[in-house]
Amino acid sequence: MDYLALAKKYQTPLYVYDFDHITAQYERLKKEFNARKSLICYAVKANSNLSLLKHIATLGGGFDCVSIGEVKRALLAGASSYKIIYSGVGKSDEEIKEALNLDILMINLESFAEMQRVELIAKELGKKARISVRVNPNVDPKTHPYISTGLHENKFGVSINEARKIYLHAHRSDNLDPVGIHCHIGSQLSDISPVIEAANITSDLLRELRAADINIKFFDIGGGIGIRYSDENEPNLYEYAQGILAALKGQDATIVCEPGRFIVGNSGELITQVLYEKTNGDKRFVIVDAAMNDLLRPSLYEAYHEIIALKDGDKTNCDVVGPICESGDFLGKNIKLPKLEHGDMLIIKSAGAYGYSMSSNYNTRGRAAQVAIEGGKDRLIGKRESFEDMIQNEREFI
Ligand code: LLP
């Protein structure tokens, strides 16, 4: 990829996404479930760029959303409403109402109280809400505590017992139609055995529900497939799929999975430009034009992203930091880089997932521009945010 040409054409910081790699990742996963009815619902939160969503919709993908905003993004990008799932522990009445009116595939319930709200709102609208229940199987996913979701100590989903109660109630309700069962235990999983354990627990409940004449059609195993940022093990997709298929043995249900990072993580990079180098005592800093507002993962989770320079030279250790007024504003610590000068480019790898989508205007910095590469051609898919964009909701009040 000609990073220099891209940086010159679109300026920096710049997110670049390889759409052909997205296609390849999608197809790789889809292929593993070929023997069964399956639906890949891309987790919009990982990267919600409209053109990127459109690309995935064109591949036949569905969408896993966590706000009505994400649902509307998916629809705008051309998603079919019957391929949209809406999860989240705190859906507002307004969001529930909109989701019902948009007639999406299912609303994924995360508490008994939420079920009651959905039932009430569906009744007011004269509708029967298709629902699934997010089961929290109390399985340790062995990942970073901030992205672990499948333990009872996490706020997500309900216990098996609570799920039973919800299904029994929904089954008898005129305004609820239980069509799915769902479970997502965490993100960036390199060991898939906890997912398989969760799939078995969830499948046991599915069997029990079927025996009680509750006709669940969708078995949703969530997302979480890990990717390689440095030397992590990438889970074996064949074993992942086979484990889920084995858990579901003898039961006819469409398999749904919700990968986010797996599809886009290694499909994206952040190009940034060196502003200055300096040393404080023995410590070397490379100051770049991207910052924690562009890519929060290093600051928030101490996540590692490989950073490479486009030029050669003897490498020494440095911290790559941004211009934001926080000591936590770093993109990499103890990274080995050659001597750099103003205008040199650095590439921050594996930035396609939870990069732009977690970016902010902190320090009144506009969000980066976004570019897609497809078939060797580049095109702008997100403009750089201007100062005017940032102040538009406040300006009239001064
Ligand atoms: N489904 C549900 C219900 C989820 O909560 C998530 C992620 C996914 C699917 C997609 O997970 P993935 O396949 O991408 O692992 N900001 C963090 C990740 C938070 C993930 C939240 N939920 C990070 O930057 O690592």
Side-chain angles (χ1 to χ4, degrees):
M1 199 174 304
D2 190 347
Y3 293 109
L4 288 177
L6 288 172
K8 197 162 172 210
K9 184 164 168 190
Y10 300 104
Q11 278 76 56
T12 57
L14 178 69
Y15 272 102
V16 180
Y17 309 125
D18 179 348
F19 276 22
D20 297 321
H21 190 260
I22 291 175
T23 305
Q25 291 294 89
Y26 178 90
E27 300 294 351
R28 263 179 78 198
L29 187 58
K30 181 74 183 161
K31 194 181 87 204
E32 295 298 344
F33 291 111
N34 262 352
R36 292 284 293 256
K37 282 175 286 180
S38 67
L39 179 63
I40 299 201
C41 285
Y42 165 69
V44 173
K45 63 177 85 67
N47 187 326
S48 52
N49 178 280
L50 286 173
S51 302
L52 190 147
L53 299 183
K54 182 177 173 191
H55 182 76
I56 292 172
T58 312
L59 298 173
F63 296 92
D64 155 48
C65 302
V66 282
S67 69
I68 202 68
E70 287 192 352
V71 171
K72 290 200 258 189
R73 267 183 183 268
L75 287 170
L76 195 62
S80 315
S81 54
Y82 65 88
K83 289 185 182 173
I84 293 180
I85 300 168
Y86 178 18
S87 299
V89 290
K91 304 175 195 84
S92 69
D93 285 3
E94 204 38 54
E95 287 184 299
I96 293 167
K97 195 170 162 187
E98 275 198 73
L100 290 174
N101 281 331
L102 291 168
D103 208 24
I104 61 170
L105 176 59
M106 52 196 175
I107 297 182
N108 196 18
L109 301 175
E110 303 219 21
S111 60
F112 194 86
E114 186 192 13
M115 178 204 68
Q116 291 174 317
R117 291 295 322 155
V118 172
E119 185 179 30
L120 191 78
I121 295 167
K123 189 170 180 194
E124 278 165 14
L125 297 174
K127 287 188 180 277
K128 195 158 187 171
R130 283 183 297 277
I131 57 114
S132 55
V133 178
R134 176 167 183 174
V135 175
N136 182 326
N138 203 23
V139 167
D140 185 354
K142 302 187 194 114
T143 187
H144 190 292
Y146 282 16
I147 51 178
S148 156
T149 49
L151 284 169
H152 283 170
E153 68 193 57
N154 304 125
K155 68 178 174 178
F156 298 97
V158 294
S159 67
I160 297 280
N161 267 340
E162 193 75 358
R164 260 189 212 110
K165 279 204 313 208
I166 297 178
Y167 280 115
L168 289 177
H169 181 100
H171 184 50
R172 289 191 297 263
S173 166
D174 290 337
N175 299 98
L176 297 172
D177 182 11
V179 296
I181 189 163
H182 175 275
C183 165
H184 168 85
I185 58 167
S187 198
Q188 181 54 11
L189 312 179
S190 43
D191 175 7
I192 50 145
S193 50
V195 182
I196 309 303
E197 190 184 338
N200 278 298
I201 294 171
T202 314
S203 175
D204 287 346
L205 179 59
L206 173 63
R207 200 167 288 116
E208 193 186 315
L209 296 173
R210 286 260 173 88
D213 213 22
I214 303 176
N215 185 20
I216 305 295
K217 301 183 190 73
F218 298 95
F219 182 82
D220 185 344
I221 193 60
I225 307 170
I227 61 165
R228 183 170 280 219
Y229 286 95
S230 61
D231 55 3
E232 299 92 333
N233 283 333
E234 266 204 4
N236 181 313
L237 283 192
Y238 175 78
E239 284 169 15
Y240 169 80
Q242 289 302 312
I244 294 165
L245 292 170
L248 255 190
K249 203 159 185 233
Q251 305 202 71
D252 178 29
T254 299
I255 296 171
V256 180
C257 64
E258 307 174 339
R261 191 187 320 261
F262 174 78
I263 304 284
V264 293
N266 276 326
S267 307
E269 295 171 335
L270 176 61
I271 309 182
T272 183
Q273 210 172 136
V274 174
L275 297 173
Y276 312 104
E277 272 225 24
K278 74 173 186 185
T279 47
N280 280 349
D282 289 341
K283 183 91 187 167
R284 175 185 171 210
F285 291 97
V286 173
I287 302 159
V288 296
D289 66 356
M292 66 188 285
N293 75 299
D294 298 300
L295 181 65
L296 185 61
R297 303 192 72 255
S299 306
L300 190 58
Y301 314 115
E302 292 183 29
Y304 171 81
H305 286 259
E306 187 185 357
I307 302 180
I308 54 169
L310 291 186
K311 79 183 208 199
D312 292 329
D314 290 343
K315 292 179 179 166
T316 59
N317 264 349
C318 64
D319 285 4
V320 177
V321 301
I324 282 182
C325 292
E326 299 253 0
S327 293
D329 177 26
F330 61 89
L331 299 161
K333 285 199 162 171
N334 295 318
I335 310 278
K336 281 198 171 11
L337 288 173
K339 171 113 192 69
L340 296 162
E341 279 160 24
H342 187 87
D344 284 340
M345 297 296 163
L346 295 181
I347 313 302
I348 306 175
K349 310 284 278 182
S350 314
Y354 308 107
Y356 189 90
S357 62
M358 288 174 75
S359 64
S360 75
N361 288 137
Y362 189 37
N363 279 204
T364 307
R365 288 169 50 87
R367 288 181 182 80
Q370 301 174 89
V371 162
I373 311 283
E374 197 173 3
K377 291 204 169 59
D378 56 87
R379 68 175 201 273
L380 189 66
I381 58 168
K383 278 194 260 183
R384 184 173 305 287
E385 219 171 3
S386 68
F387 176 66
E388 285 303 319
D389 293 333
M390 286 189 275
I391 59 162
Q392 62 178 348
N393 292 335
E394 300 165 31
R395 160 159 242 160
E396 64 189 286
F397 304 110
I398 50 173

